[in-house]
PDB file of all heavy atoms in Angstrom:
ATOM      1  N   PRO A1266    -192.021  60.474 -34.462  1.00  0.00           N
ATOM      2  CA  PRO A1266    -193.374  59.928 -34.592  1.00  0.00           C
ATOM      3  C   PRO A1266    -193.406  58.447 -34.931  1.00  0.00           C
ATOM      4  O   PRO A1266    -194.308  57.725 -34.492  1.00  0.00           O
ATOM      5  CB  PRO A1266    -194.011  60.786 -35.696  1.00  0.00           C
ATOM      6  CG  PRO A1266    -192.890  61.491 -36.366  1.00  0.00           C
ATOM      7  CD  PRO A1266    -191.796  61.625 -35.358  1.00  0.00           C
ATOM      8  N   ALA A1267    -192.438  57.972 -35.701  1.00  0.00           N
ATOM      9  CA  ALA A1267    -192.413  56.551 -36.045  1.00  0.00           C
ATOM     10  C   ALA A1267    -192.202  55.695 -34.805  1.00  0.00           C
ATOM     11  O   ALA A1267    -192.751  54.589 -34.699  1.00  0.00           O
ATOM     12  CB  ALA A1267    -191.326  56.275 -37.079  1.00  0.00           C
ATOM     13  N   GLN A1268    -191.417  56.171 -33.856  1.00  0.00           N
ATOM     14  CA  GLN A1268    -191.187  55.412 -32.631  1.00  0.00           C
ATOM     15  C   GLN A1268    -192.429  55.432 -31.732  1.00  0.00           C
ATOM     16  O   GLN A1268    -192.712  54.447 -31.048  1.00  0.00           O
ATOM     17  CB  GLN A1268    -189.969  55.957 -31.887  1.00  0.00           C
ATOM     18  CG  GLN A1268    -188.659  55.712 -32.619  1.00  0.00           C
ATOM     19  CD  GLN A1268    -187.439  55.975 -31.747  1.00  0.00           C
ATOM     20  OE1 GLN A1268    -187.477  55.794 -30.521  1.00  0.00           O
ATOM     21  NE2 GLN A1268    -186.355  56.397 -32.364  1.00  0.00           N
ATOM     22  N   VAL A1269    -193.170  56.530 -31.731  1.00  0.00           N
ATOM     23  CA  VAL A1269    -194.406  56.567 -30.961  1.00  0.00           C
ATOM     24  C   VAL A1269    -195.446  55.644 -31.591  1.00  0.00           C
ATOM     25  O   VAL A1269    -196.190  54.952 -30.891  1.00  0.00           O
ATOM     26  CB  VAL A1269    -194.934  58.010 -30.848  1.00  0.00           C
ATOM     27  CG1 VAL A1269    -196.235  58.049 -30.053  1.00  0.00           C
ATOM     28  CG2 VAL A1269    -193.892  58.909 -30.186  1.00  0.00           C
ATOM     29  N   GLU A1270    -195.471  55.594 -32.908  1.00  0.00           N
ATOM     30  CA  GLU A1270    -196.361  54.652 -33.592  1.00  0.00           C
ATOM     31  C   GLU A1270    -195.970  53.215 -33.251  1.00  0.00           C
ATOM     32  O   GLU A1270    -196.850  52.364 -33.012  1.00  0.00           O
ATOM     33  CB  GLU A1270    -196.292  54.873 -35.102  1.00  0.00           C
ATOM     34  CG  GLU A1270    -197.112  53.896 -35.927  1.00  0.00           C
ATOM     35  CD  GLU A1270    -198.601  53.991 -35.682  1.00  0.00           C
ATOM     36  OE1 GLU A1270    -199.104  55.104 -35.448  1.00  0.00           O
ATOM     37  OE2 GLU A1270    -199.275  52.931 -35.709  1.00  0.00           O
ATOM     38  N   ALA A1271    -194.675  52.936 -33.190  1.00  0.00           N
ATOM     39  CA  ALA A1271    -194.217  51.594 -32.816  1.00  0.00           C
ATOM     40  C   ALA A1271    -194.614  51.261 -31.381  1.00  0.00           C
ATOM     41  O   ALA A1271    -194.941  50.110 -31.066  1.00  0.00           O
ATOM     42  CB  ALA A1271    -192.700  51.492 -32.983  1.00  0.00           C
ATOM     43  N   LEU A1272    -194.611  52.268 -30.520  1.00  0.00           N
ATOM     44  CA  LEU A1272    -195.055  52.088 -29.137  1.00  0.00           C
ATOM     45  C   LEU A1272    -196.519  51.662 -29.099  1.00  0.00           C
ATOM     46  O   LEU A1272    -196.895  50.725 -28.381  1.00  0.00           O
ATOM     47  CB  LEU A1272    -194.853  53.398 -28.375  1.00  0.00           C
ATOM     48  CG  LEU A1272    -195.429  53.517 -26.961  1.00  0.00           C
ATOM     49  CD1 LEU A1272    -194.786  52.514 -26.021  1.00  0.00           C
ATOM     50  CD2 LEU A1272    -195.225  54.951 -26.437  1.00  0.00           C
ATOM     51  N   ALA A1273    -197.345  52.336 -29.883  1.00  0.00           N
ATOM     52  CA  ALA A1273    -198.772  51.990 -29.926  1.00  0.00           C
ATOM     53  C   ALA A1273    -198.978  50.593 -30.498  1.00  0.00           C
ATOM     54  O   ALA A1273    -199.828  49.827 -30.000  1.00  0.00           O
ATOM     55  CB  ALA A1273    -199.531  53.027 -30.753  1.00  0.00           C
ATOM     56  N   ARG A1274    -198.233  50.252 -31.533  1.00  0.00           N
ATOM     57  CA  ARG A1274    -198.366  48.910 -32.106  1.00  0.00           C
ATOM     58  C   ARG A1274    -197.946  47.847 -31.100  1.00  0.00           C
ATOM     59  O   ARG A1274    -198.535  46.756 -31.050  1.00  0.00           O
ATOM     60  CB  ARG A1274    -197.529  48.787 -33.378  1.00  0.00           C
ATOM     61  CG  ARG A1274    -198.080  49.574 -34.564  1.00  0.00           C
ATOM     62  CD  ARG A1274    -197.483  49.069 -35.878  1.00  0.00           C
ATOM     63  NE  ARG A1274    -196.033  49.121 -35.865  1.00  0.00           N
ATOM     64  CZ  ARG A1274    -195.320  50.162 -36.299  1.00  0.00           C
ATOM     65  NH1 ARG A1274    -195.934  51.237 -36.776  1.00  0.00           N
ATOM     66  NH2 ARG A1274    -194.009  50.136 -36.261  1.00  0.00           N
ATOM     67  N   GLN A1275    -196.948  48.170 -30.287  1.00  0.00           N
ATOM     68  CA  GLN A1275    -196.485  47.214 -29.286  1.00  0.00           C
ATOM     69  C   GLN A1275    -197.568  46.927 -28.245  1.00  0.00           C
ATOM     70  O   GLN A1275    -197.833  45.772 -27.909  1.00  0.00           O
ATOM     71  CB  GLN A1275    -195.232  47.747 -28.591  1.00  0.00           C
ATOM     72  CG  GLN A1275    -194.688  46.886 -27.460  1.00  0.00           C
ATOM     73  CD  GLN A1275    -193.953  45.657 -27.952  1.00  0.00           C
ATOM     74  OE1 GLN A1275    -193.927  45.366 -29.154  1.00  0.00           O
ATOM     75  NE2 GLN A1275    -193.362  44.917 -27.035  1.00  0.00           N
ATOM     76  N   VAL A1276    -198.216  47.972 -27.745  1.00  0.00           N
ATOM     77  CA  VAL A1276    -199.262  47.742 -26.736  1.00  0.00           C
ATOM     78  C   VAL A1276    -200.474  47.065 -27.368  1.00  0.00           C
ATOM     79  O   VAL A1276    -201.147  46.237 -26.727  1.00  0.00           O
ATOM     80  CB  VAL A1276    -199.629  49.063 -26.014  1.00  0.00           C
ATOM     81  CG1 VAL A1276    -200.413  50.004 -26.899  1.00  0.00           C
ATOM     82  CG2 VAL A1276    -200.395  48.787 -24.722  1.00  0.00           C
ATOM     83  N   ASP A1277    -200.752  47.363 -28.637  1.00  0.00           N
ATOM     84  CA  ASP A1277    -201.827  46.657 -29.334  1.00  0.00           C
ATOM     85  C   ASP A1277    -201.525  45.165 -29.417  1.00  0.00           C
ATOM     86  O   ASP A1277    -202.411  44.317 -29.196  1.00  0.00           O
ATOM     87  CB  ASP A1277    -202.008  47.218 -30.744  1.00  0.00           C
ATOM     88  CG  ASP A1277    -202.651  48.588 -30.760  1.00  0.00           C
ATOM     89  OD1 ASP A1277    -203.204  49.002 -29.714  1.00  0.00           O
ATOM     90  OD2 ASP A1277    -202.591  49.264 -31.811  1.00  0.00           O
ATOM     91  N   ALA A1278    -200.275  44.851 -29.737  1.00  0.00           N
ATOM     92  CA  ALA A1278    -199.894  43.443 -29.867  1.00  0.00           C
ATOM     93  C   ALA A1278    -199.896  42.733 -28.519  1.00  0.00           C
ATOM     94  O   ALA A1278    -200.278  41.550 -28.422  1.00  0.00           O
ATOM     95  CB  ALA A1278    -198.501  43.338 -30.501  1.00  0.00           C
ATOM     96  N   LEU A1279    -199.503  43.440 -27.472  1.00  0.00           N
ATOM     97  CA  LEU A1279    -199.442  42.821 -26.146  1.00  0.00           C
ATOM     98  C   LEU A1279    -200.826  42.603 -25.547  1.00  0.00           C
ATOM     99  O   LEU A1279    -201.133  41.506 -25.060  1.00  0.00           O
ATOM    100  CB  LEU A1279    -198.629  43.723 -25.206  1.00  0.00           C
ATOM    101  CG  LEU A1279    -197.112  43.737 -25.364  1.00  0.00           C
ATOM    102  CD1 LEU A1279    -196.509  44.876 -24.551  1.00  0.00           C
ATOM    103  CD2 LEU A1279    -196.510  42.409 -24.927  1.00  0.00           C
ATOM    104  N   TRP A1280    -201.656  43.664 -25.574  1.00  0.00           N
ATOM    105  CA  TRP A1280    -202.896  43.624 -24.793  1.00  0.00           C
ATOM    106  C   TRP A1280    -204.133  44.059 -25.573  1.00  0.00           C
ATOM    107  O   TRP A1280    -205.211  44.202 -24.994  1.00  0.00           O
ATOM    108  CB  TRP A1280    -202.734  44.493 -23.539  1.00  0.00           C
ATOM    109  CG  TRP A1280    -201.552  44.083 -22.699  1.00  0.00           C
ATOM    110  CD1 TRP A1280    -201.219  42.819 -22.328  1.00  0.00           C
ATOM    111  CD2 TRP A1280    -200.544  44.937 -22.152  1.00  0.00           C
ATOM    112  NE1 TRP A1280    -200.063  42.821 -21.576  1.00  0.00           N
ATOM    113  CE2 TRP A1280    -199.619  44.111 -21.447  1.00  0.00           C
ATOM    114  CE3 TRP A1280    -200.316  46.313 -22.174  1.00  0.00           C
ATOM    115  CZ2 TRP A1280    -198.506  44.624 -20.792  1.00  0.00           C
ATOM    116  CZ3 TRP A1280    -199.200  46.822 -21.525  1.00  0.00           C
ATOM    117  CH2 TRP A1280    -198.322  45.990 -20.841  1.00  0.00           C
ATOM    118  N   GLY A1281    -203.978  44.301 -26.858  1.00  0.00           N
ATOM    119  CA  GLY A1281    -205.139  44.604 -27.678  1.00  0.00           C
ATOM    120  C   GLY A1281    -205.653  46.020 -27.603  1.00  0.00           C
ATOM    121  O   GLY A1281    -206.761  46.307 -28.065  1.00  0.00           O
ATOM    122  N   GLY A1282    -204.882  46.932 -27.039  1.00  0.00           N
ATOM    123  CA  GLY A1282    -205.309  48.322 -26.976  1.00  0.00           C
ATOM    124  C   GLY A1282    -204.772  49.039 -25.756  1.00  0.00           C
ATOM    125  O   GLY A1282    -204.031  48.465 -24.945  1.00  0.00           O
ATOM    126  N   THR A1283    -205.158  50.309 -25.623  1.00  0.00           N
ATOM    127  CA  THR A1283    -204.672  51.164 -24.536  1.00  0.00           C
ATOM    128  C   THR A1283    -205.849  51.815 -23.836  1.00  0.00           C
ATOM    129  O   THR A1283    -206.706  52.421 -24.480  1.00  0.00           O
ATOM    130  CB  THR A1283    -203.741  52.272 -25.078  1.00  0.00           C
ATOM    131  OG1 THR A1283    -202.668  51.676 -25.805  1.00  0.00           O
ATOM    132  CG2 THR A1283    -203.187  53.116 -23.945  1.00  0.00           C
ATOM    133  N   ASP A1284    -205.894  51.698 -22.522  1.00  0.00           N
ATOM    134  CA  ASP A1284    -206.919  52.368 -21.725  1.00  0.00           C
ATOM    135  C   ASP A1284    -206.422  53.691 -21.159  1.00  0.00           C
ATOM    136  O   ASP A1284    -207.182  54.652 -21.062  1.00  0.00           O
ATOM    137  CB  ASP A1284    -207.361  51.463 -20.569  1.00  0.00           C
ATOM    138  CG  ASP A1284    -207.959  50.161 -21.057  1.00  0.00           C
ATOM    139  OD1 ASP A1284    -208.924  50.212 -21.845  1.00  0.00           O
ATOM    140  OD2 ASP A1284    -207.448  49.087 -20.674  1.00  0.00           O
ATOM    141  N   ILE A1285    -205.156  53.731 -20.761  1.00  0.00           N
ATOM    142  CA  ILE A1285    -204.589  54.926 -20.130  1.00  0.00           C
ATOM    143  C   ILE A1285    -203.286  55.291 -20.841  1.00  0.00           C
ATOM    144  O   ILE A1285    -202.374  54.468 -20.946  1.00  0.00           O
ATOM    145  CB  ILE A1285    -204.302  54.699 -18.638  1.00  0.00           C
ATOM    146  CG1 ILE A1285    -205.579  54.304 -17.896  1.00  0.00           C
ATOM    147  CG2 ILE A1285    -203.691  55.950 -18.002  1.00  0.00           C
ATOM    148  CD1 ILE A1285    -205.324  53.838 -16.452  1.00  0.00           C
ATOM    149  N   LEU A1286    -203.204  56.525 -21.320  1.00  0.00           N
ATOM    150  CA  LEU A1286    -201.973  57.063 -21.896  1.00  0.00           C
ATOM    151  C   LEU A1286    -201.503  58.209 -21.018  1.00  0.00           C
ATOM    152  O   LEU A1286    -202.255  59.155 -20.768  1.00  0.00           O
ATOM    153  CB  LEU A1286    -202.214  57.566 -23.319  1.00  0.00           C
ATOM    154  CG  LEU A1286    -201.071  58.385 -23.941  1.00  0.00           C
ATOM    155  CD1 LEU A1286    -199.826  57.519 -24.152  1.00  0.00           C
ATOM    156  CD2 LEU A1286    -201.511  59.042 -25.239  1.00  0.00           C
ATOM    157  N   ILE A1287    -200.263  58.129 -20.560  1.00  0.00           N
ATOM    158  CA  ILE A1287    -199.675  59.229 -19.784  1.00  0.00           C
ATOM    159  C   ILE A1287    -198.507  59.784 -20.581  1.00  0.00           C
ATOM    160  O   ILE A1287    -197.448  59.145 -20.692  1.00  0.00           O
ATOM    161  CB  ILE A1287    -199.241  58.773 -18.385  1.00  0.00           C
ATOM    162  CG1 ILE A1287    -200.446  58.220 -17.618  1.00  0.00           C
ATOM    163  CG2 ILE A1287    -198.607  59.936 -17.627  1.00  0.00           C
ATOM    164  CD1 ILE A1287    -200.134  57.738 -16.219  1.00  0.00           C
ATOM    165  N   ASN A1288    -198.708  60.972 -21.157  1.00  0.00           N
ATOM    166  CA  ASN A1288    -197.647  61.672 -21.883  1.00  0.00           C
ATOM    167  C   ASN A1288    -196.817  62.450 -20.874  1.00  0.00           C
ATOM    168  O   ASN A1288    -197.121  63.601 -20.544  1.00  0.00           O
ATOM    169  CB  ASN A1288    -198.260  62.620 -22.927  1.00  0.00           C
ATOM    170  CG  ASN A1288    -198.828  61.887 -24.116  1.00  0.00           C
ATOM    171  OD1 ASN A1288    -198.171  61.051 -24.716  1.00  0.00           O
ATOM    172  ND2 ASN A1288    -200.074  62.197 -24.456  1.00  0.00           N
ATOM    173  N   ASN A1289    -195.788  61.797 -20.373  1.00  0.00           N
ATOM    174  CA  ASN A1289    -195.014  62.345 -19.263  1.00  0.00           C
ATOM    175  C   ASN A1289    -193.611  62.806 -19.663  1.00  0.00           C
ATOM    176  O   ASN A1289    -193.045  63.681 -19.006  1.00  0.00           O
ATOM    177  CB  ASN A1289    -194.913  61.291 -18.154  1.00  0.00           C
ATOM    178  CG  ASN A1289    -193.857  61.625 -17.129  1.00  0.00           C
ATOM    179  OD1 ASN A1289    -194.049  62.502 -16.282  1.00  0.00           O
ATOM    180  ND2 ASN A1289    -192.708  60.947 -17.205  1.00  0.00           N
ATOM    181  N   ALA A1290    -193.033  62.247 -20.702  1.00  0.00           N
ATOM    182  CA  ALA A1290    -191.652  62.567 -21.055  1.00  0.00           C
ATOM    183  C   ALA A1290    -191.470  64.072 -21.228  1.00  0.00           C
ATOM    184  O   ALA A1290    -192.263  64.733 -21.902  1.00  0.00           O
ATOM    185  CB  ALA A1290    -191.254  61.835 -22.334  1.00  0.00           C
ATOM    186  N   GLY A1291    -190.437  64.618 -20.605  1.00  0.00           N
ATOM    187  CA  GLY A1291    -190.214  66.057 -20.710  1.00  0.00           C
ATOM    188  C   GLY A1291    -188.867  66.452 -20.154  1.00  0.00           C
ATOM    189  O   GLY A1291    -188.172  65.665 -19.501  1.00  0.00           O
ATOM    190  N   VAL A1292    -188.479  67.702 -20.418  1.00  0.00           N
ATOM    191  CA  VAL A1292    -187.205  68.245 -19.962  1.00  0.00           C
ATOM    192  C   VAL A1292    -187.445  69.634 -19.385  1.00  0.00           C
ATOM    193  O   VAL A1292    -188.481  70.264 -19.632  1.00  0.00           O
ATOM    194  CB  VAL A1292    -186.181  68.326 -21.114  1.00  0.00           C
ATOM    195  CG1 VAL A1292    -185.768  66.936 -21.561  1.00  0.00           C
ATOM    196  CG2 VAL A1292    -186.730  69.141 -22.291  1.00  0.00           C
ATOM    197  N   GLY A1293    -186.462  70.125 -18.621  1.00  0.00           N
ATOM    198  CA  GLY A1293    -186.556  71.447 -18.017  1.00  0.00           C
ATOM    199  C   GLY A1293    -185.591  72.421 -18.663  1.00  0.00           C
ATOM    200  O   GLY A1293    -184.570  72.025 -19.236  1.00  0.00           O
ATOM    201  N   ALA A1294    -185.933  73.716 -18.553  1.00  0.00           N
ATOM    202  CA  ALA A1294    -185.085  74.741 -19.165  1.00  0.00           C
ATOM    203  C   ALA A1294    -185.360  76.088 -18.525  1.00  0.00           C
ATOM    204  O   ALA A1294    -186.449  76.342 -18.014  1.00  0.00           O
ATOM    205  CB  ALA A1294    -185.346  74.823 -20.665  1.00  0.00           C
ATOM    206  N   GLY A1295    -184.344  76.957 -18.564  1.00  0.00           N
ATOM    207  CA  GLY A1295    -184.492  78.319 -18.091  1.00  0.00           C
ATOM    208  C   GLY A1295    -183.599  79.243 -18.890  1.00  0.00           C
ATOM    209  O   GLY A1295    -182.491  78.863 -19.265  1.00  0.00           O
ATOM    210  N   GLY A1296    -184.092  80.443 -19.167  1.00  0.00           N
ATOM    211  CA  GLY A1296    -183.266  81.380 -19.918  1.00  0.00           C
ATOM    212  C   GLY A1296    -184.070  82.530 -20.469  1.00  0.00           C
ATOM    213  O   GLY A1296    -185.258  82.402 -20.754  1.00  0.00           O
ATOM    214  N   ASN A1297    -183.423  83.682 -20.606  1.00  0.00           N
ATOM    215  CA  ASN A1297    -184.071  84.861 -21.165  1.00  0.00           C
ATOM    216  C   ASN A1297    -184.204  84.732 -22.679  1.00  0.00           C
ATOM    217  O   ASN A1297    -183.337  84.152 -23.349  1.00  0.00           O
ATOM    218  CB  ASN A1297    -183.250  86.115 -20.858  1.00  0.00           C
ATOM    219  CG  ASN A1297    -183.103  86.361 -19.374  1.00  0.00           C
ATOM    220  OD1 ASN A1297    -182.361  85.667 -18.698  1.00  0.00           O
ATOM    221  ND2 ASN A1297    -183.788  87.364 -18.874  1.00  0.00           N
TER     222      ASN A1297
END
């Protein structure tokens, strides 16, 4: 969570906020 907070602070510092957030990071798995 601290790294995600740092991500938000970074975009705030760059452009003053976020219009679009895409939560895309993920992994695949299979198993009983």
Side-chain angles (χ1 to χ4, degrees):
Q1268 292 193 31
V1269 179
E1270 177 64 35
L1272 171 63
R1274 289 198 304 268
Q1275 176 76 354
V1276 72
D1277 287 346
L1279 285 169
W1280 304 313
T1283 304
D1284 299 304
I1285 302 171
L1286 169 66
I1287 301 180
N1288 287 310
N1289 166 75
V1292 292
N1297 299 74

